[in-house]
């Protein structure tokens, strides 16, 4: 009987805790990046910006991070398993040069100067669309015209 109790006790301590991932909802909005229009998720609150694209298997339509005022930003890839491109957005809503972000890389990639946001997309997306530094980004709301 003591052996059985010891075995059960040992088993209970050997079970690893599973990280609980809090559900965070993201609104969607249509944007226009150069000549390309699509709907993306918005990260507007501190909680949404902290979560970003973590724990996802894909980043199909990316995520637009928006801040109230310009500042130097730095993004990392903690708990992010898909490779991404990031385009920091200057106050005039034009893109800085695109930077590459690699899965699980916790070294931050900083903006070149003060910016009001960032657009993360699947790695290679900006190049495939022919979009580079200086491209204008427009928030359209429900649909771009």
């Amino acid at each position: 009987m003591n052996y059985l109790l010891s075995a059960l006790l040992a088993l209970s301590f050997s079970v690893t805790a599973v990280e609980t991932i809090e559900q965070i909802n993201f609104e969607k909005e249509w944007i226009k990046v150069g000549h390309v229009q699509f709907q993306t998720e918005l990260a507007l609150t501190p909680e949404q910006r902290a979560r970003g694209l973590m724990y996802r298997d894909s980043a199909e339509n990316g995520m637009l991070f928006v801040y109230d005022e310009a500042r130097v930003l730095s993004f990392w890839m903690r708990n992010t398993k898909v490779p991404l491109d990031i385009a920091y957005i200057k106050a005039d809503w034009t893109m800085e040069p695109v930077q590459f972000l690699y899965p699980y890389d916790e070294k931050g990639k900083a903006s070149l100067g003060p910016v009001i946001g960032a657009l993360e997309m699947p790695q290679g997306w900006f190049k495939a669309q022919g979009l580079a530094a200086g491209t204008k980004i427009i928030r359209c709301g429900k649909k771009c015209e």
Side-chain angles (χ1 to χ4, degrees):
M1 185 68 136
N2 284 344
Y3 176 76
L4 182 58
L5 265 155
S6 296
L8 285 173
L9 187 60
L11 181 61
S12 69
F13 285 113
S14 68
V15 175
T16 57
V18 176
E19 182 180 354
T20 303
I21 302 169
E22 179 186 346
Q23 181 65 33
I24 296 178
N25 295 316
F26 296 89
E27 293 179 38
K28 292 184 179 182
E29 180 175 280
W30 282 87
I31 64 173
K32 186 174 182 180
V33 183
H35 63 280
V36 184
Q37 299 177 29
F38 60 98
Q39 192 176 41
T40 190
E41 289 181 279
L42 297 175
L44 305 174
T45 68
E47 295 79 18
Q48 289 170 332
R49 293 190 292 252
R51 174 64 57 83
L53 293 168
M54 287 181 179
Y55 307 108
R56 303 216 186 165
D57 293 323
S58 73
E60 194 174 326
N61 290 322
M63 186 171 285
L64 178 63
F65 297 76
V66 182
Y67 295 80
D68 294 330
E69 52 189 53
R71 65 186 83 182
V72 173
L73 294 176
S74 184
F75 279 53
W76 64 355
M77 294 286 283
R78 174 174 283 175
N79 300 317
T80 307
K81 53 185 157 182
V82 294
L84 301 172
D85 285 344
I86 187 167
Y88 287 108
I89 305 165
K90 299 189 277 187
D92 65 357
W93 283 86
T94 60
M95 293 175 15
E96 285 191 349
V98 174
Q99 297 185 54
F100 304 115
L101 299 173
Y102 297 98
Y104 303 107
D105 184 358
E106 293 194 16
K107 292 181 213 142
K109 294 266 183 134
S111 59
L112 300 177
V115 294
I116 56 163
L119 178 61
E120 287 184 335
M121 295 299 290
Q123 201 164 79
W125 184 88
F126 291 99
K127 184 176 182 179
Q129 303 301 325
L131 305 170
T135 298
K136 186 80 170 169
I137 296 175
I138 299 169
R139 291 180 66 186
C140 304
K142 296 200 184 282
K143 188 74 172 164
C144 296
E145 301 202 13

